[in-house]
Amino acid sequence: MSETTDLEARARIDELRAQLAEARSAYYEDDEPIMADAQYDELERELKALEEENPELKSEESPTETVGGAVAAGFTPTPHIQRMMSLDNAFSVEEIDEWAERTQKEAPGTPAFLTELKIDGLAVSLVYENGELIRGVTRGDGRIGEDVTANVRTIASVPQRLTTEHPPQILEVRGEVFYPTAEFEKLNEQRRADGLAEYANPRNTAAGSLRQKDAAVTASRALEVYVHGIGAHEGGEYPTSQSETYELLASWGLPTSPHSRVLHSLAEVREYIDEFGDKRHDLEHEIDGIVIKVDDFAHQRALGSTSRAPRWAIAYKYPPEEVTTKLLDIQVQVGRTGRVTPFGVMEPVKVAGSTVEKATLHNQFEVERKGVLIGDTIILRKAGDVIPEILGPVERLRDGSERAFEMPADCPSCGTRIAPTNEGEKDWRCPNQKDCPAQVTGRIAHAASRGAFDIEALGEESALALTNPDQRRDEAIAAVRAGHALDTETGRIRDADDVPGEQTPVVRTGGNLFDLTADDLRDVFVYQPLRRKGEPTGDWRLVRAFWTKRTTTRLKSTGETRVKEEKPSATTTKLIDELAKAKDTELWRVLVALSIRHVGPTAARSLATAFGSMEAIRTADVDRLADTDGVGTVVAESVRAFFADQWRADLVDAWAASGVTMEDEQDEDAPRTLEGITVVVTGSLEGFTRDGAKDAILSRGGKASGSVSKRTHFVVVGENAGSKADKAEELGLRILDEAQFVRLLSEGPAALKD
């Protein structure tokens, strides 16, 4: 290694150690993280790799060799009887395989694996003397923690005395304190009602609640704990495996997780990882991974430990759902109903398996409540497919350059003055519903969505090209003025005065949507930033949105010139075909497509089932509409207001004139077998699509619900059913297979009494 490289490695190692030490202090001592777990893991892995490449730079004080943090001021430093260790992490199943292979080499045999959920909570040690709880201590640095005995005693699930007549003389139990997700939601709901900032996540809240100076505050919080091992043990029986340990601890009244399992192959471990990856948001607590342990204690002893972690255990980490990143700006966007919503523009960051650059902030009051400033380092959360959410700022990283967000006075899309619809309403809206380009674009994209006409070829970009093709024209002009170029079919433009003029949108209110032809779309152009190898160049291009351009090619071999004339793209041809097919659809889908405020699929189905035609719905009064099951006064008034608006009524008439279905065919033969009956369908059925199952229930007078409750009469369970099936079992509800569902539809509940 060269001297320069050695110096660079040393500098980077020092930098990483300082960053990780600061992060640990904030996390363990202050309960105010300055970076998300994912970033910490990434930096720690980089440090570990550098130390392995440069063994002469290793240190026993490095974060890769130590555990936790120091004892915070105000707490009594208390030593653990046996050191509390950490766990090494794996971020792929391949790393799990490598770990298992190492255990086989170091301690031959075929081990069983104790698998359990990695609770995102606070590690704690409980000490019992002759069965009596005498001490509760946080992990601290693994050797010395903080005495939180008074606070631990307030946790209802922690027994003050073990339920055994022959307890060990000394028992040191390891566990994890957590804040149940349902209780955490209640806590934040109350804080919202009180106008207070929400807590960022259950883990930090649990840690802050346990480490209170006043035990009464801890007692007011709904903390729970699951124990998962023994540190020290003197006297009495002692198990021979991890799984036996859990059985013994449970028999003594200590709370253990119901989700742990003994598995006998890596294939089963992978299935366990996949299973709880799907269930992770349906559990009683937050998890960030899975812990895999060699079950047999003799095998564990043979494997031993490093300075900070046992070799017989490893933690598989799921893709992170919380990260930190820089908030570059707060801008606003206009939705299809005119709602003006602030959103954060951030430094791109990977979270939950995808790269995120934007996240909603809901409304200006939410920005204020969260206390977010432009320029903040913020905590971002994205759970699975859920829309990314900014949880709040990392205030301790502010340097004074941050600035507050101000809601604009005018609509950024059409320039109309924005304001709340009603006094005291938090959402601000653009009242120009007919002509605001952003609203028209949103309505067309929504009309094409899966819950409405289901036009696959009409996505957000196509909707934008139809309704507002010049949306990014100003950005392109600004780039040209800054010295960049705009590529067009006729050549490269470097003078802003030469940029083509504004276009007339092909679709204005949406009334002509189903009359569009390919020729109508020939001359629609859109502005796009020019990228090379995925990176922006600063240049722009103006390209056809729906047609290919005319191209000329000269063959070198013959000198012949071949011309490919412009023509509709394959996607455009598909779009025209799908628009024609979409005209023949169910009435409820047309209602959803109209973007009537408050009318989603459930209310639309109820209206379509009750009235049968668009004409019947538009002429019904508020009382008649409100009496429809699943509708109510708010939806009824919204429907009446929609049809009272002349341009909206004209839109419906235009669609009808284009041949869009405005009336359902009535199935006079469908028996009303489910009057007053609520049915939930979960999983895949062979003979029904999801919508088909709902329609079958509604057409027979029943209610098709999306959630299981005590008021549910039947739960139909198909393939790959999720948590709804589990909840139905917990509530003791009647569960049906598909054959029984068919019988229920045709004959009613009485047919299933046998």
Side-chain angles (χ1 to χ4, degrees):
M1 180 183 295
S2 69
E3 184 177 348
T4 301
T5 304
D6 182 63
L7 290 174
E8 289 175 353
R10 185 183 297 275
R12 181 57 177 160
I13 286 172
D14 289 343
E15 180 184 13
L16 288 169
R17 286 173 179 170
Q19 285 181 292
L20 293 172
E22 183 182 8
R24 274 191 180 183
S25 175
Y27 187 86
Y28 289 109
E29 298 166 35
D30 303 328
D31 299 323
E32 294 180 4
I34 59 174
M35 68 173 66
D37 288 353
Q39 277 104 331
Y40 185 93
D41 290 339
E42 186 176 345
L43 294 178
E44 187 179 53
R45 294 186 87 184
E46 182 186 352
L47 175 58
K48 190 171 184 179
L50 282 171
E51 289 175 340
E52 288 176 355
E53 291 172 8
N54 304 274
E56 71 281 2
L57 300 180
K58 283 189 175 183
S59 167
E60 292 182 0
E61 301 303 316
S62 172
T64 60
E65 302 295 327
T66 56
V67 172
V71 174
F75 289 94
T76 302
T78 304
H80 298 292
I81 302 172
Q82 290 290 332
R83 184 182 174 191
M84 288 186 76
M85 306 191 82
S86 184
L87 288 171
D88 287 331
N89 294 322
F91 299 90
S92 68
V93 291
E94 289 76 19
E95 291 181 67
I96 296 294
D97 293 345
E98 291 171 6
W99 166 79
E101 187 177 338
R102 287 196 301 273
T103 64
Q104 281 288 87
K105 287 181 179 178
E106 295 176 19
T110 305
F113 300 106
L114 187 288
T115 49
E116 59 191 353
L117 306 183
K118 187 175 183 299
I119 301 172
D120 199 7
L122 180 72
V124 68
S125 180
L126 308 176
V127 180
Y128 288 84
E129 189 174 288
N130 295 318
E132 296 283 349
L133 176 65
I134 63 166
R135 192 159 60 247
V137 186
T138 64
R139 180 167 59 180
D141 65 3
R143 293 184 174 85
I144 297 176
E146 299 151 334
D147 190 327
V148 289
T149 306
N151 296 346
V152 165
R153 290 187 185 279
T154 70
I155 301 175
S157 58
V158 175
Q160 305 299 306
R161 179 172 180 79
L162 301 180
T163 56
T164 174
E165 294 181 1
H166 305 288
Q169 295 171 0
I170 296 293
L171 178 69
E172 187 180 39
V173 185
R174 311 305 198 196
E176 197 82 10
V177 175
F178 62 90
Y179 214 118
T181 49
E183 295 297 331
F184 180 72
E185 289 301 322
K186 289 180 184 177
L187 179 65
N188 267 345
E189 187 177 330
Q190 184 59 55
R191 291 183 71 82
R192 283 193 295 272
D194 294 341
L196 300 173
E198 294 177 39
Y199 289 122
N201 56 55
R203 187 272 164 197
N204 293 351
T205 308
S209 299
L210 184 66
R211 301 167 77 245
Q212 290 286 329
K213 306 296 173 56
D214 183 356
V217 177
T218 305
S220 70
R221 304 285 173 80
L223 297 179
E224 291 190 24
V225 64
Y226 281 159
V227 299
H228 52 68
I230 294 175
H233 179 281
E234 296 179 15
E237 60 182 312
Y238 195 80
T240 61
S241 68
Q242 196 78 34
S243 53
E244 288 180 10
T245 299
Y246 290 1
E247 292 173 5
L248 182 62
L249 293 173
S251 73
W252 289 343
L254 287 157
T256 57
S257 172
H259 306 295
S260 61
R261 294 179 198 163
V262 177
L263 304 176
H264 298 277
S265 71
L266 287 178
E268 290 179 306
V269 171
R270 293 188 201 100
E271 289 176 5
Y272 185 92
I273 289 171
D274 291 341
E275 175 188 346
F276 283 97
D278 294 335
K279 290 181 177 179
R280 64 186 296 190
H281 300 297
D282 300 323
L283 299 167
E284 69 271 28
H285 52 66
E286 292 276 309
I287 65 171
D288 60 1
I290 300 295
V291 177
I292 304 119
K293 302 175 180 176
V294 173
D295 189 41
D296 182 69
F297 283 163
H299 211 138
Q300 287 186 11
R301 287 191 292 272
L303 290 166
S305 303
T306 66
S307 61
R308 68 186 294 272
R311 290 191 175 93
W312 44 263
I314 196 166
Y316 171 83
K317 301 290 284 288
Y318 287 120
E321 296 192 328
E322 280 190 20
V323 295
T324 52
T325 188
K326 197 78 169 178
L327 182 64
L328 303 176
D329 197 8
I330 298 178
Q331 300 174 6
V332 297
Q333 61 189 2
V334 184
R336 61 187 172 90
T337 63
R339 183 184 176 200
V340 181
T341 307
F343 66 93
V345 179
M346 303 161 298
E347 288 183 353
V349 62
K350 194 160 188 178
V351 55
S354 60
T355 300
V356 175
E357 299 180 64
K358 299 177 182 178
T360 182
L361 281 161
H362 302 293
N363 56 58
Q364 61 179 328
F365 302 99
E366 187 77 354
V367 177
E368 294 173 6
R369 190 180 63 79
K370 288 180 182 289
V372 177
L373 302 178
I374 297 169
D376 269 334
T377 296
I378 50 101
I379 302 168
L380 178 75
R381 179 175 176 81
K382 182 178 183 290
D385 293 328
V386 177
I387 296 171
E389 178 187 7
I390 294 172
L391 298 180
V394 184
E395 293 187 23
R396 63 189 291 166
L397 295 183
R398 286 177 176 164
D399 60 12
S401 65
E402 299 79 13
R403 56 191 173 86
F405 164 73
E406 292 185 13
M407 194 74 169
D410 300 326
C411 172
S413 182
C414 67
T416 304
R417 201 77 170 172
I418 63 173
T421 304
N422 302 306
E423 187 176 349
E425 188 174 282
K426 288 186 176 180
D427 289 335
W428 286 46
R429 297 180 184 275
C430 170
N432 182 20
Q433 295 180 334
K434 179 182 177 183
D435 298 312
C436 177
Q439 293 187 59
V440 178
T441 301
R443 288 198 298 269
I444 295 301
H446 173 73
S449 66
R450 185 171 296 179
F453 286 118
D454 195 14
I455 303 171
E456 185 180 346
L458 183 49
E460 290 184 7
E461 290 301 317
S462 295
L464 185 63
L466 290 174
T467 60
N468 189 16
D470 287 332
Q471 186 192 44
R472 306 193 74 177
R473 181 172 178 269
D474 288 345
E475 290 181 67
I477 291 174
V480 171
R481 285 177 176 156
H484 294 288
L486 172 66
D487 288 339
T488 72
E489 287 187 359
T490 57
R492 173 163 279 206
I493 293 174
R494 290 192 176 277
D495 188 331
D497 292 336
D498 295 332
V499 173
E502 295 182 359
Q503 303 172 76
T504 300
V506 173
V507 173
R508 299 299 291 267
T509 64
N512 65 332
L513 180 64
F514 293 95
D515 296 327
L516 291 175
T517 66
D519 281 341
D520 293 330
L521 309 180
R522 178 190 297 267
D523 296 321
V524 178
F525 289 82
V526 292
Y527 292 84
Q528 297 175 343
L530 192 61
R531 294 175 177 268
R532 287 193 177 91
K533 296 182 179 180
E535 296 297 322
T537 63
D539 294 335
W540 285 69
R541 62 178 184 170
L542 183 62
V543 298
R544 292 179 186 268
F546 298 101
W547 280 57
T548 63
K549 70 176 182 179
R550 185 177 186 271
T551 59
T552 302
T553 306
R554 183 180 294 275
L555 299 178
K556 289 183 179 180
S557 57
T558 64
E560 178 188 356
T561 299
R562 290 186 179 178
V563 177
K564 284 187 177 181
E565 296 295 341
E566 58 192 34
K567 64 178 182 178
S569 68
T571 302
T572 300
T573 300
K574 182 179 180 182
L575 169 61
I576 300 302
D577 289 343
E578 288 185 346
L579 283 169
K581 292 176 183 176
K583 296 177 186 180
D584 184 19
T585 190
E586 300 101 324
L587 177 60
W588 73 267
R589 289 184 176 276
V590 182
L591 287 167
V592 172
L594 288 171
S595 288
I596 305 171
R597 195 176 178 194
H598 303 307
V599 177
T602 301
R605 286 174 185 275
S606 297
L607 289 167
T609 301
F611 291 91
S613 72
M614 188 70 73
E615 184 62 25
I617 294 170
R618 73 191 292 176
T619 56
D621 61 25
V622 169
D623 290 340
R624 173 73 180 89
L625 292 166
D627 285 342
T628 305
D629 183 43
V631 176
T633 303
V634 172
V635 174
E637 290 177 345
S638 183
V639 171
R640 289 303 314 132
F642 178 91
F643 286 108
D645 220 336
Q646 187 58 51
W647 74 268
R648 295 184 188 277
D650 291 343
L651 171 66
V652 176
D653 291 339
W655 282 4
S658 299
V660 176
T661 299
M662 293 291 160
E663 185 173 351
D664 279 340
E665 292 183 10
Q666 299 299 311
D667 185 1
E668 303 293 344
D669 298 328
R672 305 290 285 182
T673 53
L674 300 182
E675 294 283 1
I677 300 297
T678 299
V679 182
V680 172
V681 178
T682 180
S684 302
L685 303 179
E686 288 187 9
F688 300 84
T689 63
R690 182 170 296 182
D691 289 336
K694 288 183 179 179
D695 288 339
I697 295 166
L698 293 171
S699 66
R700 287 159 177 80
K703 180 179 180 181
S705 178
S707 59
V708 175
S709 70
K710 292 180 180 179
R711 293 186 293 275
T712 304
H713 296 92
F714 298 98
V715 178
V716 182
V717 176
E719 290 294 322
N720 300 315
S723 58
K724 294 176 186 176
D726 297 334
K727 187 171 183 180
E729 287 187 6
E730 291 175 11
L731 295 175
L733 302 177
R734 183 72 185 273
I735 297 175
L736 308 181
D737 59 22
E738 187 166 353
Q740 291 171 312
F741 177 49
V742 171
R743 191 175 178 189
L744 174 70
L745 292 172
S746 61
E747 302 176 48
L752 301 176
K753 287 185 177 178
D754 55 348

